């Protein structure tokens, strides 16, 4: 059931770094993106894959981790992502990419969840730094970065409380809580 | 397998109008969107559902159908969508919505495909007209419209040819062809 997979597919930020995600798995995920919808079928997205410790170490410092967790700078060594998919917009194809990268990343994360992996989409990226480190030409806009690995954290969905606060938080057992609005509050 | 569902989930534009999609199904789809990722967990999306013939008739003329099919103005009576989900951005929550609506629509379309329905995301919408017809307040930005129904058309994925043309087209048997770029052309 797609519902089970969507519920399994939480945003994970801590991983078992001993379980690597290999190139062929990353390519399978990109193929899911390839077979997903694209505005006017333009297919302007391009992808850079990272799965080696060296390249992963280049990407990691370019991501801004969990904005609401002020006392957490990101996963410690041993709990870092073992792969990344950098989603680019090819400006030689299109100047705008609509929501193609959102559609693509949702397909890829659902594919990862099915395989027992998981991850997180990053829109908050040190783009200039990442461009320099990976030698990404100006032809490509850096749209999103998908961080991937074998999740080791528990993520639970809570109801948004009376105060309306939607900030995720971590409890004393390091369980990650994500308040979600009620269905009836979303339908006008 | 999520891959099978992603392949089944083509953009469909002709439907069996005798098979209706009901309110509870549309609500289940929105619940899939609700449980999907949202940038900084802000959850600024809101949804208007349409499933009655009257409301559907209001929404239908506001959509621009299949830009590349110049001699086709959209589905004829009997082949029109039987439901719509209008995806709004609530500007009282956030001024920008990132790719939240792309993620949400991909989740909803995958849910629809699993149930034997299908549809198409519309970014090309007569927004002023739709706002007027449905009485949508200025608080909400109209982001995307999802048209839904029981597909009656065959959609096939082709390889992009040597000329690089990505425009979809319809053959003499009314099969809808969508050229997709090769995987190796997407990975840098």
């Amino acid at each position: 059931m797609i519902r089970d997979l969507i519920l399994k597919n939480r945003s994970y930020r801590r991983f078992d770094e001993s379980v690597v995600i290999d190139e062929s798995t990353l390519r399978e995920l990109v193929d899911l993106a390839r077979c997903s919808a694209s505005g006017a079928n333009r297919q302007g997205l391009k992808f850079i894959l990272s799965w080696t410790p060296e390249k992963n170490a280049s990407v990691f410092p370019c991501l801004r981790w969990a904005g609401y967790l002020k006392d957490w700078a990101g996963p410690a060594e041993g709990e870092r992502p073992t792969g990344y998919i950098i989603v680019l917009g090819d400006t030689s194809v299109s100047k705008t990419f609509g929501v193609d990268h959102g559609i693509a990343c949702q397909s890829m994360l659902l594919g990862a969840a099915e395989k027992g992996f998981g991850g997180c989409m990053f829109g908050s990226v040190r783009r200039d730094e990442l461009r320099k480190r990976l030698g990404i030409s100006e032809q490509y806009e850096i749209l999103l970065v998908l961080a991937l690995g074998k999740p080791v954290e528990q993520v639970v969905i809570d109801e948004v409380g009376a105060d309306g606060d939607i900030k995720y938080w971590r409890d004393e057992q390091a369980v990650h809580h994500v308040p979600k609005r009620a269905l009836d509050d979303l339908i006008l």
Side-chain angles (χ1 to χ4, degrees), chain A:
Chain A
M1 289 284 291
I2 185 68
R3 182 177 173 82
D4 298 325
L5 197 57
I6 284 173
L7 288 172
K8 187 178 177 187
N9 176 36
R10 302 295 86 215
S11 292
Y12 294 106
R13 296 178 180 84
R14 294 191 296 121
F15 306 94
D16 178 350
E17 217 171 318
S18 72
V19 182
V20 299
I21 186 163
D22 61 14
E23 183 188 9
S24 80
T25 302
L26 296 177
R27 287 178 60 91
E28 280 179 55
L29 299 183
V30 174
D31 204 48
L32 297 181
R34 185 182 80 84
C35 297
S36 299
S38 163
N41 198 38
R42 275 188 292 263
Q43 306 166 72
L45 302 183
K46 296 287 193 292
F47 303 87
I48 294 174
L49 311 183
S50 172
W51 70 92
T52 65
E54 298 72 24
K55 198 166 179 180
N56 287 347
S58 267
V59 176
F60 176 78
C62 301
L63 305 181
R64 294 193 175 90
W65 288 85
Y68 296 139
L69 304 182
K70 297 298 179 197
D71 55 352
W72 189 68
E77 279 190 43
E79 294 196 337
R80 293 184 180 167
T82 58
Y84 298 93
I85 298 175
I86 294 121
V87 184
L88 307 172
D90 185 342
T91 62
S92 77
V93 174
S94 182
K95 300 304 171 201
T96 57
F97 305 95
V99 290
D100 279 15
H101 40 310
I103 298 167
C105 282
Q106 181 66 346
S107 289
M108 294 193 287
L109 277 176
L110 290 170
E114 187 178 60
K115 290 171 184 293
F117 291 104
C120 190
M121 297 182 207
F122 285 82
S124 189
V125 175
R126 295 180 180 91
R127 287 178 165 74
D128 291 346
E129 182 66 21
L130 184 62
R131 183 181 294 285
K132 201 167 64 182
R133 284 170 176 239
L134 298 189
I136 299 170
S137 103
E138 292 291 336
Q139 177 184 337
Y140 302 104
E141 189 180 331
I142 298 173
L143 298 173
L144 287 170
V145 176
L146 211 57
L148 295 158
K150 171 91 178 166
V152 289
E153 65 181 351
Q154 192 189 344
V155 178
V156 297
I157 294 177
D158 296 335
E159 278 182 42
V160 171
D163 62 0
D165 192 356
I166 49 69
K167 290 195 284 293
Y168 48 75
W169 57 285
R170 214 173 260 173
D171 69 20
E172 286 163 8
Q173 282 74 44
V175 173
H176 188 86
H177 293 260
V178 182
K180 288 288 188 193
R181 303 186 198 282
L183 181 59
D184 282 331
D185 294 340
L186 303 187
I187 297 176
L188 298 189

